[in-house]
Amino acid sequence: MKIFISSLITGMEDIREAARVAIDQLGHQPVMAEQFAPSPNSPQVACLQGLRESGLVILILGARYGAKQASGLSATHEEYRAAQGGHPVIAFVEEGVDREPDEQAFVTEVQAWEGGLFRGGFRTPEQLRGLITRAIHQWELSKAAAPLNPDDMLARALASLPSAERRSSYYQSSRKLVVAFAGGPTQAILRPSQLEDPALAENLIKRAMFGNVRIFDMGEATTKRVENGILTVTQKDGASVSLDPTGAVVVSLPFPRVDGGWPMVIEEDVSENARRALAFAGDVLDEIDPTQRLTHVVVAATLEAGENLAWRTASEHRASPGSMSLGFQSPTREPVHLTPPQKPRAALRHDAGAIVEDLVTLLRRVWKPR
């Protein structure tokens, strides 16, 4: 396979050489501007042609932006924009450098692109070489899996959420947000023996209590069970995490109690729980699927909140804590999901803010009385 290396050339010779070696050692053909044969076309036309003939693009961003072309973009930026039309891009950013403003804006654009596979930063050519080797290997593993089926992913995510009867039950021990993450291409990530291995449950509990995103209370007892092939760890307050053989993750997070005695959730609490659920699920996926066989994910969410509910912002509640309009259960209170439902797995980290905003907006439409 041809792999195009896109970066500024001058000043990045050692970095580009490290990328070339990584690609060559994996048995692929590096495509580099400095190796092009003489051509009647301009260098940039030749580069874009080389990109179009490649199956993968390695994008490397450093300190300098490069000379601007007639388009107002640098040559590397033009290559990146051209790749967005249908080429997979794996991007790396040099760290510890004083970046030019245009280059910093370019980095921000790349990190926000949901279609790319951002792989983080590097400081030395040797480190970059290892990162590229691993990233290409992971990408090849993902391509060897079954085709992506967003409809199946969405169906699995929705099926893993609480039933309508459970969501609407008046007798709730706690009101909570439940977020389901179904990965694809659909495949077995955890074997039955792994799901029943006590070490997996223990690691899940430790991550929930002491990890980067803590969703369990260290003072609460935790139970674990495997039922119908699904591992679930739960705390008394209703916080829980579930895993199934396909790597699907379900995170349930209770809301803080709200003064006033009303069945109520505060919108800011919904946002915070959604943020924590996305971050925690991303960490779990990295642990159970470190080679990223699951390249995409569908996110679906609902509230498990009882038969009626008041949805308010914090400012609305402060303004009138003693009175409110209650929403009543209706057939429209179905779980929500994004459109299109699938996102690149990297979006759980690099586009988390937008995903949270959209989920909260969709939940508000369903649960807030009009």
Side-chain angles (χ1 to χ4, degrees), residues 39-326:
S39 168
N41 297 319
S42 70
Q44 190 57 6
V45 169
C47 284
L48 292 175
Q49 180 62 34
L51 183 150
R52 285 190 286 269
E53 293 174 353
S54 300
L56 182 66
V57 177
I58 299 294
L59 175 65
I60 308 170
L61 303 179
R64 295 175 52 234
Y65 183 68
K68 293 184 179 180
Q69 310 297 304
S71 65
L73 303 175
S74 70
T76 305
H77 207 156
E78 285 186 347
E79 292 163 0
Y80 167 71
R81 292 281 180 87
Q84 284 182 296
H87 287 72
V89 178
I90 304 178
F92 302 89
V93 175
E94 187 176 11
E95 296 178 338
V97 297
D98 187 11
R99 224 178 304 282
E100 294 177 350
D102 284 341
E103 184 73 348
Q104 183 56 54
F106 187 11
V107 169
T108 301
E109 177 184 338
V110 170
Q111 291 176 338
W113 182 39
E114 296 175 8
L117 299 174
F118 180 67
R119 285 292 179 267
F122 69 95
R123 290 184 176 271
T124 67
E126 293 74 19
Q127 184 185 15
L128 176 65
R129 176 179 166 184
L131 290 171
I132 290 176
T133 300
R134 180 180 178 185
I136 293 174
H137 177 63
Q138 291 173 344
W139 183 78
E140 289 177 316
L141 288 175
S142 71
K143 297 295 288 184
L148 196 69
N149 186 336
D151 291 339
D152 172 72
M153 294 165 62
L154 177 58
R156 288 190 290 112
L158 294 174
S160 63
L161 291 172
S163 65
E165 292 77 14
R166 181 175 166 184
R167 294 196 305 268
S168 63
S169 173
Y170 182 81
Y171 300 100
Q172 295 287 341
S173 58
S174 64
R175 297 175 182 86
K176 49 198 169 188
L177 173 72
V178 187
V179 189
F181 305 82
T186 304
Q187 57 195 294
I189 298 298
L190 295 168
R191 304 193 314 274
S193 59
Q194 291 176 304
L195 275 169
E196 295 191 8
D197 187 343
L200 177 61
E202 290 170 7
N203 288 338
L204 201 58
I205 293 169
K206 287 179 181 178
R207 181 176 294 280
M209 287 186 174
F210 308 109
N212 296 326
V213 183
R214 300 180 181 183
I215 64 170
F216 278 3
D217 186 340
M218 289 185 290
E220 290 282 349
T222 303
T223 61
K224 57 186 178 181
R225 71 179 188 277
V226 177
E227 186 175 351
N228 297 323
I230 299 174
L231 168 65
T232 303
V233 293
T234 308
Q235 286 203 317
K236 185 178 180 181
D237 66 355
S240 68
V241 182
S242 296
L243 281 175
D244 80 1
T246 67
V249 183
V250 181
V251 181
S252 298
L253 296 177
F255 297 114
R257 291 189 176 276
V258 181
D259 293 337
W262 298 92
M264 180 192 323
V265 294
I266 301 299
E267 184 168 313
E268 288 82 354
D269 292 337
V270 180
S271 295
E272 174 60 15
N273 278 9
R275 182 197 66 79
R276 293 165 65 209
L278 259 68
F280 185 81
D283 286 349
V284 171
L285 286 172
D286 286 347
E287 180 174 336
I288 66 173
D289 182 30
T291 60
Q292 298 203 17
R293 289 171 288 172
L294 300 175
T295 60
H296 288 72
V297 65
V298 163
V299 184
T302 190
L303 300 185
E304 192 173 320
E307 184 176 344
N308 53 61
L309 178 75
W311 174 300
R312 314 185 86 183
T313 65
S315 61
E316 288 172 339
H317 185 56
R318 286 193 299 268
S320 56
S323 63
M324 63 195 64
S325 298
L326 295 178

Side-chain angles (χ1 to χ4, degrees), residues 302-360:
T302 190
L303 300 185
E304 192 173 320
E307 184 176 344
N308 53 61
L309 178 75
W311 174 300
R312 314 185 86 183
T313 65
S315 61
E316 288 172 339
H317 185 56
R318 286 193 299 268
S320 56
S323 63
M324 63 195 64
S325 298
L326 295 178
F328 291 92
Q329 183 68 21
S330 72
T332 61
R333 285 193 173 170
E334 296 296 329
V336 303
H337 60 82
L338 306 177
T339 303
Q342 77 278 8
K343 293 278 187 181
R345 176 167 156 183
L348 290 181
R349 298 194 187 281
H350 302 298
D351 201 30
I355 294 175
V356 168
E357 289 178 358
D358 290 343
L359 286 176
V360 172

